[in-house]
Amino acid sequence: MDPEFQRILERTRKERAQYFTPRWFARLFAARLNLPDTFWLGLLGPLLVAVPVMVVLAMLSKGADPAASMPVFSGLTAVLGLYWALVSRSVLIVARRAPQAGGWRWAAVVTSVAMAALALIGGLRGLL
């Protein structure tokens, strides 16, 4: 294998091993990641775990009480909305520092704020 390619591959492995650690989340919420990592990984990465956990918890609650699954799922959706609101704040801060992204940075801000608002509204509405 090409030595240069091997170095790039090793560097990539080391960077990816740091994703979704407590230190990474601290950097995410402090807006110290780049715009793609803040937007794509910050907003959508945790969904790989959060969505299956939300569905399992809602199903388990339905087994305990058939009327409980909707409030449980709605509450978890509201928590996800709060998380997205925190990430949206970071996306806004990082987007202001990334003029090279052009109009896409503002699309990221609008998208992240809309996701947070819709999750919060939907989650809270389901609880009422």
Side-chain angles (χ1 to χ4, degrees), residues 40-82:
W40 291 108
L41 292 175
L43 283 174
L44 304 178
L47 292 181
L48 295 171
V49 173
V51 169
V53 167
M54 290 169 67
V55 170
V56 167
L57 289 174
M59 287 174 34
L60 290 174
S61 67
K62 185 172 181 125
D65 177 12
S69 64
M70 190 60 179
V72 168
F73 195 76
S74 295
L76 293 171
T77 302
V79 170
L80 179 63
L82 289 173

Side-chain angles (χ1 to χ4, degrees), residues 9 23 31 52 60 63-64 82 98 109 111 114:
L9 193 58
R23 181 175 175 259
L60 290 174
L82 289 173
V109 170
T111 301

Side-chain angles (χ1 to χ4, degrees), residues 10-48:
E10 189 58 37
R11 187 180 73 225
T12 302
R13 282 188 195 133
K14 287 180 183 176
E15 288 174 6
R16 288 184 180 174
Q18 297 176 14
Y19 288 164
F20 308 117
T21 62
R23 181 175 175 259
W24 183 86
F25 279 106
R27 293 181 65 217
L28 171 69
F29 295 132
R32 285 190 256 140
L33 299 175
N34 61 33
L35 185 57
D37 284 353
T38 302
F39 179 76
W40 291 108
L41 292 175
L43 283 174
L44 304 178
L47 292 181
L48 295 171

